[in-house]
Amino acid sequence: MQRWLSLLILCCGILACGDPGEGSALTKPEAPPYIPIERFGVIWDGLQIDSGTVQSGHSLSHILGPAGVSAGAIATLANQTKTTYDVRNIRAQQPYWIAFDEDSVQPARYFVYQRNATQYARFDLRPPYGVALESYSTDTLIERAHGIIESSLYVDLERVGAPSNLALSMAAVYAWTVDFSRLQEGDAFDVLYERVYVNDQPVGMPRVIVCHFEHRGSKLPAYRFDQGAGNDYFDEDGNSLRKAFLKAPVEFSRISSRYNLKRFHPILNRTKAHYGTDYAAPAGTPILAVGDGVVTKSSYTKGNGKYVKIRHNSTYKTQYLHMSKRAVTVGEHVRQGQVIGYVGSTGLATGPHVCFRFWKNGKQVDHLKEDFPPSEPIEASQMNAFQAAVSEWRARIQDREFAVR
Ligand SMILES: [Zn+2]
């Protein structure tokens, strides 16, 4: 019975849909316009979609073989698309989609591989084969977060509804001025940042535009500005927030031994890595902190003699060995150029010198080979444009109604 009914409806359908010719009285009410669903730059309607993420060690054949694409077709595809997108660049953990014609026994029609948060490669799996590299449309929104430090920047950003990875962006902006692992309760932040969205989902790192950070009672404004060499951050007067370290911890000294992993040690009579740079200078010469920071050690060991260690920020630490006398204590805040001790030859030393050691991200490195970012202020020719940008952003960040989260 059911079948007959279906057939009847089908027949009526055919009759009703017969070409009525122009000016027919059979005009039906106008149907809403058909808008095909498009995704990845192709009509996605009526396709059957398999999706997954690339497994570790898997190549295109692991993914497309089960989708009915023959080994020969995969080889041809890989070869033909190589100059636009080399399939050997497909990486594990990235999402992909395979599109089949519905009810089709044919091999899959498209393979879409997501290269990163904003780009994908769409492969046409039928002859003559091909690949198109496309980008999703993105929206960049300006958002704001402000609050007071109660525990840590990460936690407090989340508490006020901001992305916690904004903490990393802020730490990069203030890398030379604020040690974010040593924030105080009551420090405050007010930050405008850009965030890129794809399909309403945030992607990538938020980017700081302007930040007013209050640390230990000092206001530390940071404004983003590009004076030709890429974005950098400046205070309201146009001084770079980056600070160069002093080139050497003692003035009028000479380097007597460089950082060398295979140095022959003059006292131990054997090869021993030298993780520092030795600056020879007369005993009693002042030793200077190469940058602002906090003294984490002021101590004595048999090898180091009297020494001082300074933590500058979450990236950099320095250490000064063989002092005749130390001039700072643990926990003390020091400024760049401040005298922290005096040259001597305590510990394992053949003569008066400072063995200067430099840590970057927990590793001892040769500071003479480090490429420090420039710390140039705003150039005179850019000052008007910079001041205009500062006024605009300052007005926006001070407008409490703006983008309050
Ligand atoms: Zn040394």
Side-chain angles (χ1 to χ4, degrees), residues 257-258 263 265 274-279 321-322 348 353-357:
S257 174
R258 285 194 59 158
R263 181 175 79 151
H265 197 282
H274 186 225
Y275 291 109
T277 305
D278 289 345
Y279 291 90
L321 312 184
H322 313 305
L348 279 182
H353 78 281
V354 190
C355 182
F356 176 64
R357 296 183 171 202

Side-chain angles (χ1 to χ4, degrees), residues 259-329:
Y259 180 101
N260 178 357
L261 298 176
K262 289 179 187 154
R263 181 175 79 151
F264 184 78
H265 197 282
I267 294 179
L268 299 173
N269 255 334
R270 61 179 167 86
T271 304
K272 186 172 187 283
H274 186 225
Y275 291 109
T277 305
D278 289 345
Y279 291 90
T285 305
I287 299 170
L288 315 174
V290 295
D292 294 2
V294 177
V295 176
T296 56
K297 271 185 183 155
S298 175
S299 186
Y300 174 87
T301 65
K302 245 175 139 179
N304 292 350
K306 292 177 186 169
Y307 72 100
V308 166
K309 190 168 184 180
I310 297 172
R311 179 190 164 97
H312 299 285
N313 49 49
S314 42
T315 309
Y316 299 112
K317 289 177 196 141
T318 55
Q319 197 179 34
Y320 313 73
L321 312 184
H322 313 305
M323 292 176 167
S324 59
K325 197 177 157 209
R326 294 172 280 127
V328 287
T329 52

Side-chain angles (χ1 to χ4, degrees), residues 339-392:
V339 176
I340 55 168
Y342 299 89
V343 173
S345 46
T346 56
L348 279 182
T350 47
H353 78 281
V354 190
C355 182
F356 176 64
R357 296 183 171 202
F358 193 94
W359 277 261
K360 183 185 183 182
N361 296 320
K363 264 198 183 144
Q364 292 196 58
V365 297
D366 184 353
H367 79 288
L368 296 173
K369 286 194 178 150
E370 283 299 300
D371 219 357
F372 294 113
S375 57
E376 301 301 318
I378 295 288
E379 288 167 31
S381 63
Q382 299 278 333
M383 198 43 113
N384 283 343
F386 174 71
Q387 289 300 347
V390 167
S391 310
E392 189 195 325

